[in-house]
Amino acid sequence: MAKSLFFGGKGGVGKTSCATAYALSCANAGWNTLLVSTDPAHNLADLFGRQPGPTPTRMRPGLDVVELDPDHETKRYLDQVKDTIKPMVSGERSAAVFRQLDLARHAPGTEEAALFDALVGLLLDTGQHYDRLIFDTAPGGHTVRLLALPEIMGAWVDGLMQRRHKVRSDYKAWLGDGEVVDDPIQEALMRRRGRLAAAREHLTCPAHSAMILVANPERLPALETARTRDLLEANGLHVGAVVINKCLPTTVDSQWLANWREEQRPWIEQLETSFADRTCIRIEHQPHAPASIDDLRPLSDALGVLSPWQAHA
């Protein structure tokens, strides 16, 4: 199974640039790499000069790219649910169930469940064809909720299975010596639980999966990054490194920039103190925002080929 790396952090800190730069480093090192964007505000097309799709698109030698569109994934996910339950219901009941599923498209949590289902497919199925999976995630709390879903949904599926088991037990008692036929719903729940367990095992194994938190040396990003680490680790997810992006260089040519650099200094120090037991990488502020992958070379050089897939004492 491919090693997975998730780039996360507050909006605007440079997650996409860092994730893309690192994916390019992996591809250049000879690893077959898949870069995945789960951020609804996709901008990978701006960097590569053409639009990726919902399935792996070859962008550079050794590098494929996928952009997960929430609307597309939600429709695909609900259509898949319909196909699963179609043989189990019929007539008016079928029409009522499908109406409820159509209404569920806009219900809270449906989009996240659909994105997570796509993520599970990438981890367990598509990922078999790659050495590295690099994820450019949505800002902050969205990433924490998405990556914590295996545990939440696993508990929910377990509850459904227990209720289904009770129904079957009651039915068997009512039949007496009669035979209880195979239960396709129970089988579907068991398959779902198995995939959730496999995804959870992959996401929580430091040898296979890690988070890289990206922050700017400012008060709010620094504080949120520390909180995000606590939330991720509380859910059993491994934080492998922090990237402190947009640091002003030690030599600047104006007093205004010198003052700005001094404002950054305590937040750089706080981030490096908070992540003293992790890899800390400083990246200097670039002259302009990256407009193409050629502009990412300084970031690729700074990131190198990180190896954050290991446990820390």
Side-chain angles (χ1 to χ4, degrees):
M1 184 178 290
K3 292 182 182 294
S4 304
L5 196 64
F6 296 81
F7 281 79
K10 191 174 173 64
V13 296
K15 294 188 305 298
T16 297
S17 296
C18 288
T20 305
Y22 182 70
L24 288 165
S25 291
C26 290
N28 290 336
W31 285 321
N32 194 25
T33 303
L34 178 64
L35 173 63
V36 181
S37 175
T38 66
D39 188 345
H42 299 300
N43 57 8
L44 291 177
D46 297 331
L47 292 172
F48 286 98
R50 57 193 178 98
Q51 187 70 50
T55 57
T57 303
R58 181 55 54 105
M59 291 299 201
R60 288 293 184 274
L63 177 62
D64 292 349
V65 178
V66 167
E67 284 188 344
L68 297 181
D69 176 69
D71 290 337
H72 173 82
E73 294 304 327
T74 299
K75 182 180 184 304
R76 178 199 59 78
Y77 177 67
L78 292 176
D79 287 346
Q80 187 180 65
V81 173
K82 288 179 181 178
D83 289 341
T84 300
I85 66 175
K86 191 178 295 182
M88 307 175 195
V89 294
S90 60
E92 293 184 5
R93 181 182 298 178
S94 172
V97 169
F98 289 166
R99 278 197 301 271
Q100 291 300 316
L101 285 172
D102 289 335
L103 292 173
R105 176 169 299 184
H106 305 291
T110 302
E111 182 179 292
E112 286 181 332
L115 284 174
F116 178 71
D117 187 71
L119 186 148
V120 170
L122 289 168
L123 290 176
L124 303 184
D125 304 324
T126 308
Q128 301 292 335
H129 307 292
Y130 295 92
D131 303 309
R132 297 288 184 268
L133 298 180
I134 312 300
F135 291 86
D136 170 30
T137 69
H142 182 279
T143 300
V144 178
R145 292 193 301 273
L146 183 66
L147 298 183
L149 276 177
E151 188 169 0
I152 297 168
M153 294 182 70
W156 178 68
V157 170
D158 284 345
L160 289 178
M161 290 184 66
Q162 289 172 9
R163 286 192 289 274
R164 189 69 185 173
H165 180 72
K166 185 177 185 307
V167 168
R168 283 172 57 81
S169 297
D170 292 345
Y171 184 50
K172 185 175 182 180
W174 179 72
L175 284 177
D177 294 332
E179 182 180 354
V180 179
V181 298
D182 292 339
D183 185 353
I185 296 178
Q186 186 82 351
E187 292 172 2
L189 289 172
M190 289 180 68
R191 286 193 300 272
R192 182 69 169 165
R193 185 174 67 173
R195 286 179 68 80
L196 288 170
R200 172 77 180 164
E201 182 178 358
H202 179 82
L203 289 171
T204 57
C205 177
H208 295 109
S209 184
M211 284 288 306
I212 300 296
L213 296 179
V214 183
N216 294 161
E218 300 168 7
R219 181 176 182 274
L220 290 180
L223 295 176
E224 181 171 324
T225 300
R227 287 195 296 268
T228 299
R229 174 184 175 174
D230 291 341
L231 286 170
L232 289 166
E233 292 184 341
N235 284 281
L237 302 165
H238 173 62
V239 176
V242 63
V243 174
I244 309 172
N245 194 26
K246 302 181 182 178
C247 299
L248 290 175
T250 54
T251 56
V252 291
D253 57 6
S254 75
Q255 187 59 46
W256 183 81
L257 286 174
N259 292 341
W260 185 9
R261 186 190 63 205
E262 283 305 300
E263 287 182 6
Q264 287 188 346
R265 182 176 54 79
W267 300 111
I268 293 174
E269 292 173 354
Q270 176 165 321
L271 282 164
E272 290 182 337
T273 299
S274 297
F275 290 83
D277 57 342
R278 297 291 188 270
T279 301
C280 295
I281 299 172
R282 292 193 194 188
I283 297 180
E284 287 193 356
H285 205 301
Q286 302 304 304
H288 55 79
S292 71
I293 61 171
D294 292 334
D295 296 333
L296 296 177
R297 188 166 291 110
L299 275 70
S300 292
D301 293 341
L303 291 169
V305 182
L306 281 167
S307 297
W309 296 279
Q310 70 277 327
H312 289 260

